[in-house]
Amino acid sequence: MGGFEMASSNKPASLEGYLTDETGKEYTLTTTPSNTILGYVGYGILDYLEAGLNLNVHYDGDAGGTKLKGVGFGDIGLMVKAQLPNQSLKDLFNFAAALEVFIPTGTNEKGVRPRHLWYIHKGDYTNPYSAADFAVAGTLYLSINIHRNLRWNNYAGVLRAFENGENIFTWGSGITLFPYEWVSLVLEASGETKIRTKDVWRGFLNDQLRFSPGLKVRLPKFTTMSINADLGMDLFRKRKISRGHEITVKNKGHEYSYTVPGSPPIAVSIKFNRTFDLGGRIDDFKKKMEACPKSSLSFKDNKYRCAPDSDNDGIADDLDECPDTPAEVLIDESGCPFDRDNDGVPDYKDKCPNTKEGYPVDEFGCIRDNDNDGIPNELDKCPDSEPGEEVNEKGCILDTDEDGVPNVLDSCPSTPAGLKVNQYGCFMDNDKDGVPDEWDKCPDSAPNEIVNMYGCPIDSDEDGIPDFMDKCENTPPGVGVDSVGCRLDFDRDGIFNEDDMCPDTPVDAPVDKTGCPIDSDKDGVVDYLDNCPNTLDHTAVDANGCPIREKLNLDKIARRIQFHKGSEMPLNSSYTALSDVVSIMRHNKQIAIEIQCSVKSGESKEPIELANSRANFIFEFLVNKGVKEDRLKASGYGLQLPMNSHGYAKLNPVGVRLLPYHIKEESSELK
């Protein structure tokens, strides 16, 4: 097996985007290729035993001008893999186990991205191309054939690095669609994680976890080609340094430190797998199998002996239910001639091959039918039918609804029993409401009026407005409605009159379920009059709902936080406002703050990116001042901050916004 893997730009190398040496000097990473050439050779010692050798060659591109760039070998891996022999349920599942030993032969002073988790040693140097340590791994494999077109593949194992005493859990699970076709679709998830007793879930997500969709193409001469994309966890979430692994690499007497993610966000690979049939056993087996007829007898002594087939129809005698079939007659899987209409006369003798099942036939497979109505004489109760008449299964003229009008003349062949019909077989309906006159309790319905089964107008919700005029068909009983059957809401606040405790609310003012204006921050000023709708608890406010003390007014504090044009760095005057935010957070332990940032038009070609950077700067400033991360959220919104949920707050549309909310409440419910 040979292949090539390529990871994306500099992202798999360093979360920070730079390296730092022992003097503190930073080496900035730009686009850094990170490629691997894969190689594996295996030999089938027995039908169920394989031995193999694994050796990869790696290459990392320029690492900020350091000497880490270059080509290097990975560790040699020696593997023995065994499958259960003579497995009776092999058509359902396959089970195998492997033992692999890694010899630390890899290059030690090249590379930026560690190729495996066990190459990363806590408190020691990391060699991106080698574990620098002997390691042994045991792995179990299980494939389940759920359906001919669906296979479920799984593996799980434990790897032990001896010198460093580290244990790594490796696993993978995926499905293969159309495993026997020339193109198969593969969907797999896999990972590597350290075996630990604390932070198990966090380690599982951060060590190495990837999703790998791909295609497998079968080529001639026992060759397959696989094309895969590896999608790491950091592709689906915000990249954070806290999720990375801190490592130190050594090269030419220098040390470089940086933080790498568990797995690259994006990597692609292409692999070719070729099997060489050294003994010719595969081709020999296929030829022998094709030469033998179907048989329940087993092949003995690997000589592929065929069971006898007296009539040479391709079905061995021990399975042939019709051992004397004439030559060149089409047969089914049991060795008998086909009889597609199941009339007891085989197809090669049947002159009427489409006889209805159950009809008696003569020796040529045809029914006897004197009046040619399609009903055999033996079953015909009306043997003198006229040519062209439609008859039932008894051979008599057909009147399906038994209304006295034969089907051939009946325009309404499904008339209910007992109703009077006209000459065309349709029931009488004078007012044309779809209800027969015999059932109609309201025989004078208006045209197009919707009626019930008794022919009377329907008023489903009993509000006095018939359904054909009612635009609100499910009105509750007893409530007042207008001329089209809809409930009354004079002030148009979404609360119907009978439930509205405040029936004169101004238009578009936010109201609660009783129809009264909402005071979200409970400061005594309702939302549609409140210019500061996010006031902190127990804060004195003026008539407009804004804190009397400006140091408690987060909206005004936010307006004082300003940044240098086109930069994420704030003006010096902004640090006073940021300190005021820290003071509020320290004295109000029960609240959290959402930081929202936007930028002015023309400040940046990437306004969302700049807005995110500004929000993250405020986030980091507050964290560094002692505010816990779980009390903060940071978001960038490009050129325009989102509309406030109440619609009345006069908040700054561009710049910085600070929205408080209670920690115990859902984060989306702003206090």
Side-chain angles (χ1 to χ4, degrees):
M1 183 275 288
F4 177 75
E5 177 191 79
M6 178 177 65
S8 62
S9 67
N10 65 339
K11 291 184 178 180
S14 172
L15 284 170
E16 298 97 328
Y18 57 84
L19 315 179
T20 305
D21 66 14
E22 65 275 5
T23 67
K25 181 180 178 181
E26 292 184 355
Y27 298 82
T28 302
L29 294 174
T30 56
T31 301
T32 306
S34 183
N35 306 324
T36 296
I37 297 176
L38 310 169
Y40 173 79
V41 176
Y43 181 73
I45 301 173
L46 300 171
D47 287 345
Y48 305 101
L49 184 64
E50 173 187 349
L53 182 146
N54 185 357
L55 179 62
N56 300 327
V57 179
H58 308 299
Y59 171 77
D60 280 0
D62 183 33
T66 67
K67 301 296 184 181
L68 297 173
K69 172 182 178 180
V71 178
F73 288 97
D75 290 341
I76 290 178
L78 303 176
M79 185 188 74
V80 176
K81 184 176 180 181
Q83 180 177 318
L84 285 180
N86 299 323
Q87 188 175 318
S88 60
L89 297 177
K90 63 182 178 180
D91 289 337
L92 296 179
F93 69 89
N94 292 295
F95 180 78
L99 179 66
E100 193 166 6
V101 177
F102 295 94
I103 304 172
T105 57
T107 304
N108 289 335
E109 293 199 352
K110 291 292 182 181
V112 183
R113 175 171 68 92
R115 267 28 183 208
H116 290 289
L117 183 62
W118 57 89
Y119 292 4
I120 302 174
H121 305 306
K122 185 176 182 181
D124 198 355
Y125 294 115
T126 291
N127 302 299
Y129 296 165
S130 172
D133 186 8
F134 283 93
V136 63
T139 308
L140 298 177
Y141 299 85
L142 177 64
S143 293
I144 301 175
N145 297 312
I146 300 174
H147 184 269
R148 185 185 184 281
N149 294 321
L150 180 63
R151 178 184 295 163
W152 182 22
N153 302 309
N154 303 274
Y155 72 85
V158 176
L159 181 140
R160 171 76 174 182
F162 289 105
E163 182 179 344
N164 290 279
E166 294 174 327
N167 296 309
I168 308 294
F169 175 63
T170 63
W171 64 276
S173 181
I175 60 173
T176 302
L177 295 175
F178 315 113
Y180 301 106
E181 303 298 333
W182 72 278
V183 175
S184 301
L185 174 64
V186 180
L187 302 173
E188 183 182 56
S190 60
E192 301 166 0
T193 185
K194 292 183 179 180
I195 298 177
R196 48 171 67 84
T197 58
K198 295 182 179 179
D199 295 328
V200 176
W201 178 245
R202 182 176 179 182
F204 175 79
L205 294 178
N206 296 337
D207 284 346
Q208 189 172 99
L209 179 60
R210 56 188 177 268
F211 307 92
S212 306
L215 292 175
K216 178 181 285 186
V217 182
R218 286 168 179 77
L219 304 175
K221 297 185 180 297
F222 310 114
T223 303
T224 60
M225 178 180 68
S226 299
I227 303 174
N228 293 86
D230 283 344
L231 311 178
M233 274 297 290
D234 282 352
L235 181 66
F236 305 99
R237 62 184 181 181
K238 184 178 180 181
R239 292 164 58 85
K240 289 188 177 181
I241 295 177
S242 60
R243 297 194 182 112
H245 300 285
E246 295 181 2
I247 68 171
T248 299
V249 299
K250 189 174 183 180
N251 175 267
K252 306 298 182 183
H254 290 283
E255 296 179 359
Y256 302 94
S257 299
Y258 51 100
T259 302
V260 296
S263 53
I266 302 178
V268 295
S269 65
I270 181 170
K271 301 174 185 176
F272 288 90
N273 189 307
R274 170 71 188 275
T275 300
F276 295 91
D277 185 15
L278 301 180
R281 297 179 61 190
I282 298 177
D283 281 334
D284 183 51
F285 179 78
K286 290 173 63 178
K287 291 177 182 177
K288 294 292 184 180
M289 287 295 290
E290 291 170 357
C292 291
K294 297 178 182 178
S295 174
S296 64
L297 300 178
S298 62
F299 298 116
K300 300 178 181 179
D301 302 326
N302 288 328
K303 294 181 180 179
Y304 316 107
R305 296 174 181 171
C306 299
D309 178 19
S310 302
D311 54 5
N312 295 315
D313 61 357
I315 305 296
D317 287 350
D318 62 320
L319 293 179
D320 200 336
E321 296 180 7
C322 302
D324 301 319
T325 306
E328 299 181 357
V329 172
L330 295 177
I331 59 171
D332 59 22
E333 60 184 8
S334 64
C336 294
F338 282 107
D339 178 16
R340 291 184 176 85
D341 55 4
N342 295 315
D343 61 358
V345 179
D347 287 355
Y348 74 96
K349 292 182 178 181
D350 201 336
K351 295 183 178 180
C352 301
N354 298 313
T355 306
K356 186 175 180 180
E357 189 170 356
Y359 278 12
V361 297
D362 56 23
E363 66 275 16
F364 303 109
C366 298
I367 65 172
R368 290 176 283 269
D369 180 17
N370 293 337
D371 57 2
N372 295 315
D373 61 359
I375 306 299
N377 292 344
E378 293 88 341
L379 304 177
D380 201 336
K381 301 297 184 181
C382 303
D384 299 320
S385 302
E386 293 294 331
E389 284 185 347
E390 187 178 8
V391 299
N392 58 21
E393 67 277 2
K394 297 179 181 180
C396 299
I397 191 169
L398 192 63
D399 177 14
T400 305
D401 54 6
E402 299 179 353
D403 59 358
V405 180
N407 283 7
V408 68
L409 301 176
D410 201 334
S411 299
C412 303
S414 302
T415 307
L419 295 180
K420 294 180 181 180
V421 297
N422 57 23
Q423 58 181 333
Y424 306 109
C426 298
F427 60 74
M428 303 294 188
D429 179 17
N430 290 329
D431 55 3
K432 295 182 174 57
D433 59 0
V435 179
D437 290 347
E438 290 90 338
W439 299 348
D440 203 334
K441 303 292 185 183
C442 303
D444 300 319
S445 302
N448 300 322
E449 188 173 3
I450 301 175
V451 298
N452 58 21
M453 61 181 296
Y454 303 109
C456 296
I458 296 176
D459 179 13
S460 302
D461 51 9
E462 299 179 354
D463 59 358
I465 307 298
D467 284 1
F468 75 98
M469 297 175 58
D470 201 335
K471 295 185 178 180
C472 301
E473 298 179 356
N474 298 312
T475 308
V479 302
V481 298
D482 56 20
S483 59
V484 294
C486 294
R487 298 172 69 178
L488 301 174
D489 177 16
F490 291 146
D491 55 4
R492 298 180 183 178
D493 59 359
I495 307 299
F496 299 115
N497 284 2
E498 61 270 12
D499 299 324
D500 201 335
M501 304 298 294
C502 302
D504 299 319
T505 308
V507 176
D508 295 331
V511 298
D512 58 21
K513 62 183 179 181
T514 67
C516 293
I518 295 174
D519 179 13
S520 301
D521 53 8
K522 297 183 175 62
D523 61 357
V525 180
V526 294
D527 286 0
Y528 74 91
L529 298 176
D530 199 337
N531 290 337
C532 299
N534 300 299
T535 307
L536 301 175
D537 288 350
H538 311 299
T539 301
V541 300
D542 57 21
N544 295 319
C546 293
I548 296 174
R549 292 184 60 196
E550 287 195 4
K551 284 186 174 292
L552 296 178
N553 190 332
L554 282 171
D555 185 41
K556 290 188 177 181
I557 292 173
R559 294 173 186 267
R560 289 160 46 204
I561 301 174
Q562 299 181 4
F563 293 84
H564 290 282
K565 183 176 181 180
S567 171
E568 64 183 43
M569 298 304 298
L571 300 177
N572 290 338
S573 60
S574 300
Y575 286 96
T576 302
L578 291 171
S579 297
D580 289 343
V581 178
V582 173
S583 176
I584 289 175
M585 296 298 286
R586 288 175 177 172
H587 289 86
N588 295 270
K589 302 291 186 180
Q590 79 284 7
I591 68 164
I593 284 183
E594 180 179 357
I595 304 163
Q596 298 180 350
C597 287
S598 64
V599 300
K600 295 179 180 178
S601 177
E603 273 199 88
S604 173
K605 294 182 178 179
E606 300 292 340
I608 293 181
E609 182 177 342
L610 180 57
N612 273 321
S613 297
R614 290 179 175 180
N616 287 331
F617 180 90
I618 298 173
F619 181 95
E620 296 293 342
F621 179 90
L622 297 179
V623 170
N624 291 335
K625 293 298 183 180
V627 180
K628 293 183 178 180
E629 288 188 18
D630 58 7
R631 297 180 62 197
L632 300 170
K633 291 195 305 185
S635 303
Y637 290 93
L639 299 176
Q640 180 71 46
L641 291 174
M643 184 69 176
N644 184 44
S645 60
H646 303 304
Y648 285 90
K650 299 177 180 178
L651 299 177
N652 46 319
V654 178
V656 179
R657 181 185 294 169
L658 303 173
L659 298 178
Y661 60 91
H662 280 275
I663 294 176
K664 293 182 180 179
E665 299 180 6
E666 293 184 14
S667 60
S668 62
E669 273 187 38
L670 297 182
K671 191 66 182 174

